[in-house]
Amino acid sequence: MAHSRPITHANDHSDWPERCNYWLQSCTGSARKTKRHEDNPSALILNGHGASLRIEQGALVIRDGFTHYPQTQLRYRYWPGHPSLPTRILLLAGSGTLSFDVLSWLAAQNIPLVRVNWDGTVATVASGTGFAADPEKVRWQLDTRADMSLRCKFAAALIAEKLAASIDTLKLPWFPAERVRLAISHMESCIGVLNRKRFKTVSEIMGIEGGCASGYFQAWSAVSYEWKGIERRPIPPEWYEFKGRADHARGKGPSNRNATHPVNAILNYAYAVASAQLHIQAMAEGYDPSIGLLHETLPGRSAFILDIIEPVRPVIDAKILFMLKYHTLDPADFIIRKDGVCRLSPQFARKVATVVETILPLQPTALTRASGSKQLGGTSLRTGSACRIGSKPEVENLETK
């Protein structure tokens, strides 16, 4: 197998600009075309070094960063109130500058600004509307959290929905039926338990979710994905197959954070982009992101966002699987740090963020049913119609290479 191939031209980085340009073109080609006078439904994603945002004669002028050479710098100019304004701006790992005037301009146009670190953690979310808590919604969060019966109902419904979406993902054609039959059967049984049983603690529900997640990701080992360029730049033997979410770097225990496997690094980044958008939605609709119902409320932790992303994770997983099956990976798409942690190349990170953006357009409907759950006893939460759980995501126009 390719595991034992000798290292040849290990210091040859000529494929870096090629891969950066490949992913950049992929993102540009999949952008949705809008009709005249139609509002732009997409986010603007920036990355690289030397990015800048400033105000010139009342307009927002943006220069994207550089990630490779040669590269033509992308430039944008937006006027106040124009339909072409992006729904939000994502600043991926890199460097650059912006002014205080830019922050005021974005707030006036109700455009959130999100900064995502290279490791998939969200550095900051600056909502265009700021945060004005809705007393009724926050009271619902607090009351539900204080009442263990209501809290368990909410958690059980949330995890049941996640398991239903996980089953849909495992039914994708790339999973051999014999490899996923047991996992699907177990999740269907657990959905029945979650719908019928009256739980006394949230930890019981999390225990069910954890057992299902183990079987779910074990099934991923049956999914193959292609590599190119490994003769010139060899990869660690563990990268040829995916065995689960728990990575193990030297000197560190198993964890799904600080990923050492490319697939885990991709998933971490995708989840972070989705979390940032849900954070914006939650604040815009008046929820307190820190008050968790399924997850524990801790200082500096957006526990409610961790709650509402749970049913969305399998939908993101499906989109990432589509991407892995329709694109050939290259070692130049990833960077291995000195501690063994794997990170995405800048333009590949842009591609992953773009894929997530096709799932979660920023619309006020994303938490609508959570708003109504006050009258439903706190047992219902759905993502919006743009990310309807239980439906298979459409295959985007992905070119292969």
Side-chain angles (χ1 to χ4, degrees):
M1 291 183 64
H3 296 197
S4 59
R5 289 181 180 176
I7 297 178
T8 57
H9 305 290
N11 295 320
D12 183 3
H13 299 289
S14 59
D15 50 351
W16 174 270
E18 175 189 343
R19 294 303 294 178
C20 283
N21 188 62
Y22 170 69
W23 292 117
L24 180 59
Q25 293 300 318
S26 172
C27 295
T28 304
S30 61
R32 177 188 164 186
K33 301 294 188 298
T34 57
K35 299 179 181 179
R36 187 179 181 184
H37 303 308
E38 180 184 6
D39 287 349
N40 178 14
S42 304
L44 177 64
I45 301 175
L46 307 174
N47 69 353
H49 297 286
S52 69
L53 295 85
R54 66 176 186 269
I55 305 300
E56 291 183 358
Q57 298 180 346
L60 174 64
V61 177
I62 300 175
R63 290 177 171 81
D64 203 355
F66 291 99
T67 59
H68 58 284
Y69 179 83
Q71 177 184 359
T72 301
Q73 188 176 42
L74 299 176
R75 301 186 181 189
Y76 310 87
R77 184 182 294 271
Y78 296 104
W79 283 268
H82 197 274
S84 65
L85 287 173
T87 55
R88 58 210 165 279
I89 298 176
L90 271 66
L91 303 174
L92 307 185
S95 63
T97 59
L98 59 82
S99 66
F100 291 149
D101 289 341
V102 168
L103 296 177
S104 299
W105 194 96
L106 293 175
Q109 301 303 312
N110 194 22
I111 299 176
L113 182 69
V114 180
R115 169 69 168 171
V116 181
N117 293 325
W118 67 266
D119 60 354
T121 57
V122 178
T124 186
V125 176
S127 174
T129 58
F131 175 51
D134 183 322
E136 187 178 358
K137 292 178 181 178
V138 174
R139 189 181 308 113
W140 167 76
Q141 288 180 272
L142 293 171
D143 291 346
T144 303
R145 180 168 181 80
D147 187 322
M148 185 55 68
S149 175
L150 290 178
R151 187 179 175 191
C152 286
K153 285 183 180 181
F154 178 91
L158 198 72
I159 297 305
E161 187 172 358
K162 178 181 181 179
L163 296 186
S166 299
I167 291 173
D168 284 337
T169 297
L170 290 183
K171 288 181 178 179
L172 291 173
W174 306 301
F175 291 99
E178 65 276 7
R179 294 290 297 271
V180 300
R181 187 176 294 110
L182 184 60
I184 290 176
S185 176
H186 179 61
M187 283 190 280
E188 288 175 340
S189 175
C190 288
I191 291 174
V193 173
L194 289 167
N195 289 333
R196 294 191 307 267
K197 182 177 178 180
R198 289 189 176 183
F199 294 93
K200 295 182 179 180
T201 65
V202 172
S203 60
E204 294 179 75
I205 300 169
M206 295 299 287
I208 292 175
E209 190 276 338
C212 291
S214 177
Y216 171 77
F217 280 110
Q218 283 180 7
W220 280 50
S221 62
V223 179
S224 61
Y225 45 95
E226 300 298 324
W227 288 93
K228 59 174 287 187
I230 53 179
E231 297 87 357
R232 179 168 51 185
R233 190 183 295 195
I235 59 177
E238 296 81 11
W239 286 19
Y240 288 89
E241 58 181 337
F242 181 68
K243 294 185 178 181
R245 286 286 286 150
D247 281 344
H248 195 167
R250 183 179 181 182
K252 301 178 181 178
S255 173
N256 58 6
R257 298 181 181 180
N258 294 322
T260 60
H261 192 282
V263 175
N264 276 331
I266 294 170
L267 291 176
N268 286 352
Y269 210 88
Y271 295 156
V273 173
S275 295
Q277 181 169 336
L278 290 173
H279 196 286
I280 294 169
Q281 291 176 321
M283 291 195 303
E285 297 189 28
Y287 293 96
D288 188 331
S290 68
I291 303 175
L293 307 179
L294 174 65
H295 294 82
E296 293 299 326
T297 300
L298 299 173
R301 185 188 198 188
S302 298
F304 187 61
I305 309 306
L306 295 177
D307 290 351
I308 61 178
I309 197 178
E310 289 294 345
V312 185
R313 291 183 190 270
V315 184
I316 296 173
D317 296 343
K319 271 289 189 177
I320 295 303
L321 284 168
F322 275 117
M323 185 186 73
L324 291 175
K325 295 303 291 187
Y326 284 91
H327 289 279
T328 299
L329 298 178
D330 189 290
D333 298 331
F334 305 93
I335 303 166
I336 303 179
R337 300 198 323 165
K338 293 181 180 179
D339 59 0
V341 172
C342 174
R343 60 174 290 188
L344 311 186
S345 68
Q347 295 298 356
F348 187 40
R350 184 198 295 264
K351 176 60 180 180
V352 172
T354 302
V355 168
V356 176
E357 286 295 320
T358 65
I359 304 172
L360 295 169
L362 184 62
Q363 295 180 349
T365 57
L367 294 171
T368 300
R369 298 198 186 182
S371 302
S373 63
K374 298 185 296 297
Q375 288 78 29
L376 298 175
T379 62
S380 176
L381 176 65
R382 297 290 188 272
T383 53
S385 58
C387 182
R388 182 170 55 86
I389 298 302
S391 62
K392 291 183 175 62
E394 296 180 359
V395 181
E396 60 177 339
N397 183 22
L398 297 174
E399 66 279 17
T400 58
K401 186 170 183 179

